[in-house]
Amino acid sequence: MMQGEEDAAWRAMAGREQIRDCLARLARGEDRRDAGLIVGCFWPDAATDYGIFAGDFDAYLAWVVPGSDAIAVTQHILGQSLIIVEGDAARVETQVSAYHRIDAGDGARDIWLGGRYLDVMERRAGDWRIAHRTMLYDWFRDCGPAVDWTHGLMGMPFSAPHFTGRAQGDFSATFFAKRD
């Protein structure tokens, strides 16, 4: 492989890793309702269409942060991404499973859904971000009433209150804020 070809191969690999990192930061931003993380993953002129919501980036951000009080916990688990790069644009399909604990007033329920994000991503000034997102839904499962595990698991109590995840006030915010 010639030096120019090798450089191009490394740039392509670095671009794909930047895209995967962007998608992981966005999933964390949505789970923790962290506007700063989400802003860094979309271009300001981006648009989204989730089927149950469609709009420009500002409307999307207002929809996601602070989020509904009825949804105490979310967890977006990303699977493989098919990434097709064409110059400074990419088409990306990413598998996702998303857990939501929802209380619509009749007690908390655990909900799972599976689908795919179809993202048009653009590289501007060396930074990959989402220009347009469409969500496709492949399956949905209502697991029924949620089990209260806020005090421990399998009969064993937690040693401190920070072990349970939550959309806001999650211990991981403290974890990532620590810099030694």
Side-chain angles (χ1 to χ4, degrees), residues 99-103 106-111 141-149:
Y99 162 81
H100 295 78
R101 177 162 282 186
I102 299 173
D103 188 344
D106 56 350
R109 302 183 72 81
D110 291 329
I111 306 293
R141 180 171 175 90
D142 181 342
C143 299
V147 174
D148 181 9
W149 45 266

Side-chain angles (χ1 to χ4, degrees), residues 25-147:
R25 286 184 285 113
L26 177 57
R28 176 174 171 73
E30 289 178 336
D31 288 341
R32 304 283 73 84
R33 298 179 183 162
D34 184 328
L37 276 176
I38 295 170
V39 166
C41 299
F42 283 91
W43 293 114
D45 58 345
T48 63
D49 188 350
Y50 285 82
I52 56 174
F53 169 85
D56 64 21
F57 176 71
D58 290 337
Y60 159 78
L61 187 60
W63 180 56
V64 174
V65 179
S68 171
D69 289 338
I71 303 174
V73 179
T74 64
Q75 185 178 47
H76 293 78
I77 302 167
L78 302 180
Q80 74 275 15
S81 294
L82 174 64
I83 303 171
I84 308 293
V85 177
E86 296 174 335
D88 289 329
R91 294 193 177 275
V92 183
E93 179 187 64
T94 302
Q95 306 285 324
V96 61
S97 296
Y99 162 81
H100 295 78
R101 177 162 282 186
I102 299 173
D103 188 344
D106 56 350
R109 302 183 72 81
D110 291 329
I111 306 293
W112 279 95
L113 63 88
R116 290 164 282 141
Y117 296 125
L118 300 180
D119 295 314
V120 175
M121 302 190 72
E122 293 178 358
R123 180 174 46 201
R124 302 178 190 173
D127 192 16
W128 284 98
R129 296 186 189 185
I130 297 169
H132 189 273
R133 167 168 277 192
T134 301
M135 173 78 189
L136 302 180
Y137 300 90
D138 293 321
W139 54 268
F140 179 87
R141 180 171 175 90
D142 181 342
C143 299
V147 174

